[in-house]
């Protein structure tokens, strides 16, 4: 029997999903992205070589696997082909095993201009801190039912008429409301249509392909981007991304119904980070924050911005586990805590309804020994194990993986859902 396994970030993204997708792909036949766009930044380190992926599923480094971009993903063709070219330059063959849904909404230059103009204009500290890649405006066009999709590229005349209409609208907003430069229609048209022939061989009815794979008992891996607290409905609104980042998005974002999912892995860092604005109850501003930031190399993979750092938030994680129906957890970057005297877990909030509630902490002793590269539980210091056991007992979910370094092999595997 094939298995459908899902990888979801439990907090605000950057939990280390890319490495775990890459690791689980060893046993997968297909890897699927179902939401978000190239705002994601998934870092993989294989044999000392670092690869950062934004749009292409993180399973691509495994030659046997088919990589699929579902209809829920917003696609910038220029960025897709930039990523394809970069991977091809390193010898990874891609074009015959990357499938893209005809229903993916296109991110066009006016979406990027709108994203940036909006962030510049906002007052009262309401800046979202977006990645500036046009993600939000592209989803807005989709929901407003005026967006262009990949399938539209293959009827030039219709594409031209439709693009002219929506660019008239967006250029009006750019010029008159944001007092910024409009985007050139002819350039946008030529650039978009210029990708049509290149993308055409990859364009597929993803729903049929995934049904075929499921019936042929393939192992399918669904790769979430961003994190559960950036979900447009369940996240820290309005400081969120524009898609549903939780497991429920799989059904709508690539057409695999919820009853077909077998196991959902929640990836969670051994502490918490957030990039961009918005509430972060366990955020630290002291020397521990600088330590986590430095040792954890906490800079955004997409924008290079420094990530805010804080303690592990079990209280929020419990809610995230319910929203996603998480089956097991993977704790990443445990080694970043190695030098600390004590470690804290947020187990509750004092004022649950506050915009940024005050955490109630439980303090545990640190371990001051290296956990870096550990491959079995036995290799972990007693206090590190106690920290993990406390997370498990508080969340009532098992930890199935512990990632102890950036390489595939730096992982303690307790329960692989594909075994
Ligand atoms: P957008 O997705 O570019 O619209 O940005 C909205 C919010 O989501 C901002 O706070 C971004 O920093 C955050 N965000 C988007 N993608 C990622 C990601 O892959 N990792 C972490 N934060 C992200």
């Amino acid at each position: 029997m094939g298995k459908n396994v899902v990888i979801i970030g439990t907090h605000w993204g950057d939990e280390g999903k890319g490495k775990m997708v890459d690791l689980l792909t060893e046993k997968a036949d297909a890897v699927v992205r179902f939401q978000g766009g190239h705002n994601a930044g998934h870092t993989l380190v294989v044999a000392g070589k670092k690869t950062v992926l934004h749009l292409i599923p993180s399973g691509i480094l495994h030659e046997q696997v088919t990589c699929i971009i579902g209809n829920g993903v917003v696609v910038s063709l220029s960025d897709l082909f930039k990523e394809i070219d970069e991977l091809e330059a390193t010898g990874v063959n891609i074009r015959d095993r990357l499938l893209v849904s005809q229903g993916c909404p296109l991110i066009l230059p006016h979406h990027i201009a709108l994203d940036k103009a909006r962030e510049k204009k906002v007052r009262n500290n309401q800046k979202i801190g977006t990645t500036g890649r046009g993600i939000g405006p592209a989803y807005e066009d989709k929901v407003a039912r005026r967006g262009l999709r990949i399938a539209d590229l293959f009827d030039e005349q219709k594409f031209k008429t439709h693009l002219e209409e929506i660019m008239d609208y967006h250029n009006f907003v750019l010029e008159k409301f944001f007092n910024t430069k409009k985007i050139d229609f002819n350039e946008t048209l030529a650039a978009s249509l210029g990708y049509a022939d290149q993308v055409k061989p990859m364009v597929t009815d993803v729903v049929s392909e995934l049904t075929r794979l499921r019936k042929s008992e393939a192992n399918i891996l669904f790769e979430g981007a961003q994190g559960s607290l950036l979900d447009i409905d369940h996240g820290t609104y309005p400081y969120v991304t524009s898609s549903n980042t939780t497991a429920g998005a799989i059904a709508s974002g690539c057409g695999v119904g919820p009853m077909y999912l077998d196991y959902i892995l929640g990836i969670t860092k051994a502490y918490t980070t957030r990039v961009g604005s918005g509430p972060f109850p366990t955020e630290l501003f002291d020397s521990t924050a600088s330590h986590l930031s430095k040792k954890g190399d906490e800079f955004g993979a997409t924008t290079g911005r420094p990530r805010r750092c804080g303690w592990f938030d079990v209280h929020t994680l419990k809610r995230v586990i319910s929203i996603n129906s998480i089956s097991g957890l993977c704790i990443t970057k445990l080694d970043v805590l190695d030098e600390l005297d004590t470690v804290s877990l947020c187990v509750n909030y004092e004022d649950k309804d506050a915009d940024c509630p005050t955490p109630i902490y439980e303090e545990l002793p640190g371990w001051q020994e290296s956990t870096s590269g550990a491959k079995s539980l036995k290799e972990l210091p007693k206090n590190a194990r106690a920290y993990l056991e406390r997370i498990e007992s508080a969340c009532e979910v098992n930890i199935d993986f512990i990632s102890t370094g950036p390489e595939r092999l730096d992982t303690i595997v307790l329960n692989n859902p594909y075994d």
Side-chain angles (χ1 to χ4, degrees), residues 5-9 34-35 222-225 227-228 231 234 244-254 256-258 261 263-266 320-327:
V5 172
V6 180
I7 286 195
I8 292 287
F34 53 91
Q35 49 70 228
F222 297 87
E223 173 179 359
S228 300
D231 184 284
H234 298 290
N244 284 110
T245 56
T246 40
I250 292 168
S252 53
C254 64
V256 170
L261 304 179
Y263 174 97
I264 298 170
L265 180 65
V320 165
I321 287 170
S322 289
I323 293 168
N324 290 291
S325 61
I326 282 175
S327 326

Side-chain angles (χ1 to χ4, degrees), residues 12 14 39-41 128-131 226 230 240-241 275-276 305:
W12 289 285
D14 310 314
N39 47 350
I128 305 293
T130 72
T131 57
Q226 290 83 49
L230 287 171
V240 291
T241 190
V275 63
R305 290 177 291 175

Side-chain angles (χ1 to χ4, degrees), residues 184 199 209 227 244 276:
D184 188 84
V199 78
E209 181 59 16
N244 284 110

Side-chain angles (χ1 to χ4, degrees), residues 11-15 17 33 36-42 53-54 115 119 127-137 139 224-227 229-230 238-243 245 273-278 300-303 305 307-308:
H11 287 79
W12 289 285
D14 310 314
E15 294 92 352
K17 296 180 290 293
R33 281 274 312 260
H38 65 305
N39 47 350
H42 293 162
L53 297 168
H54 298 285
D115 195 358
E119 285 280 283
K127 215 180 174 121
I128 305 293
T130 72
T131 57
R133 300 197 161 196
I135 307 294
Y139 276 119
Q226 290 83 49
L229 300 179
L230 287 171
Y239 301 99
V240 291
T241 190
S242 304
S243 61
T245 56
T273 61
R274 170 164 210 175
V275 63
S277 325
T302 300
T303 57
R305 290 177 291 175
R307 297 178 186 142
R308 302 153 63 193

Side-chain angles (χ1 to χ4, degrees), residues 109 163 183-192:
L163 182 69
I183 303 292
D184 188 84
F185 167 71
N186 288 319
E187 265 177 40
T188 307
L189 179 68
S192 308

